Amino acid sequence: MSGNTTSASQVLGGLEAIRPDLEACYRDLHAHPELGHQEKRTSAKVAAQLKSWGYEVHERIGGTGVAGVLANGDGPGVLFRADMDALPIKEQTGLPYASTATDADGGPIMHACGHDMHVTCLLGAAHLLAQATDAWSGTFIALFQPAEEPGDGAAGMIADGLTDRVPRPQVCLAQHVLPYPAGQVLTRTGPALSAADNYRVTVYGRSAHGSAPDKGIDPVVMAAMLVVRLQTVVSREVAPLSPAVLTVGSIHAGTNPNNIPESAEIQINVRTYGDDTRHQVKEAIARIAQAESAASNAPKPPGIDHFGSFPPTINDEETTEKVAAAFSAFFADRAGTLDLQTASEDFSAIPKAFGVPFSYWGVGCTDPAAYETAARKGTLATDIPVNHSAAFAPAIQPTLDTGVQAAVVAVLAYLGTGC
Ligand code: ZN
Ligand code: ZN
């Protein structure tokens, strides 16, 4: 047993005693979800607990963000981030602790991405580390981030002075529950999550009566040609071994059949895994939009608006290898490799702001028996609810224990003193 594993065993010795409180905390957070930037109840609860365990607590960072700092002697700093926000989805899990929460307009809210589990696991790790300060040395920063789903929560904390308000860590860590068997922890070196970029392209024509197309310039045809031509970006321009997705998710023009409208608008979502491909697709969209407009003799060039972007999540090799080795030592065959994910995250903005490396891993949250049955029947895609599904319902255990253990083990890979 390595020194760090000994430290982890020492710290995690306290898990059994706090497990009932953690499970109650998870059910409470699940029943009371809050949308991005509105995590007031959640952040108040987090701050109160961190204070009670002796953390120096910084509140209202970028709105509702909270950072708890526990300085415990010499050594490096480790920042661990959990996101707090929920989604505008009507929960259909049938769980006794299902959300019935609504926003100010009566819209439903649900923890459909498992951020309630992230908060609970980080609270568990923070509590255990505070209880066993003789097992580690250094500075632990528990960071609770608002608004991951809208994609601007990390940026908001950074703009509000995060890097000046907490000590600069040596490394940043984070985890996400995913629909793999609960009990598993899954790491991945290099690209792990895609970048996401949204574009709104408006093409301009000249309005005319529908019976007289020669008097106008038709932006509907222009937009239709643009949608078709955009399909060639991934199939004909991006290298076959560089994964990319380009989806036109919205197209809108006109209001009635006998009028050629003034303009047409399409909205595009792009997923890529590296800066080169990301830039290549962006350039291709602009080039094709301009060329289709020119081909249609448009009176003016298209408007191209880039909004709602997420950076790619590219795990640092050395950090991830260190975390993966600690996971293998602790979890044995429950530690594995994460598949490349097409989802996106804003977490990497935080280590980037500090100028430090990071690793982000997956924690399985599906009942292992249900997963195995579906895998055997070949019905994983239909039978196992994924993140953002109204039926998404992590098995509280062993997901919660595993998430707390993974956080503690990874943190102690840097801060553990062994004995
Ligand atoms: Zn999500
Ligand atoms: Zn999420």
Side-chain angles (χ1 to χ4, degrees), residues 281-302:
V281 173
K282 181 182 184 178
E283 295 287 294
I285 289 170
R287 189 194 74 238
I288 290 169
Q290 278 152 12
E292 287 297 349
S293 285
S296 300
N297 199 23
K300 61 176 177 173

Side-chain angles (χ1 to χ4, degrees), residues 326-352:
F327 284 172
S328 289
F330 186 87
F331 292 104
D333 62 356
R334 292 196 286 134
T337 302
L338 181 67
D339 301 318
L340 191 61
Q341 305 286 309
T342 53
S344 305
E345 254 285 353
D346 68 350
F347 159 67
S348 65
I350 294 166
K352 189 177 175 193

Side-chain angles (χ1 to χ4, degrees), residues 83 113 115 118 148-149 176 345 388:
D83 40 11
C113 202
H115 298 184
H118 305 167
E148 185 280 327
E149 297 292 355
H176 205 297
E345 254 285 353
H388 290 212

Side-chain angles (χ1 to χ4, degrees), residues 144-166:
F144 296 85
Q145 182 203 303
E148 185 280 327
E149 297 292 355
D152 58 356
M157 294 186 95
I158 293 158
D160 200 19
L162 173 68
T163 55
D164 298 324
R165 288 164 84 166
V166 304

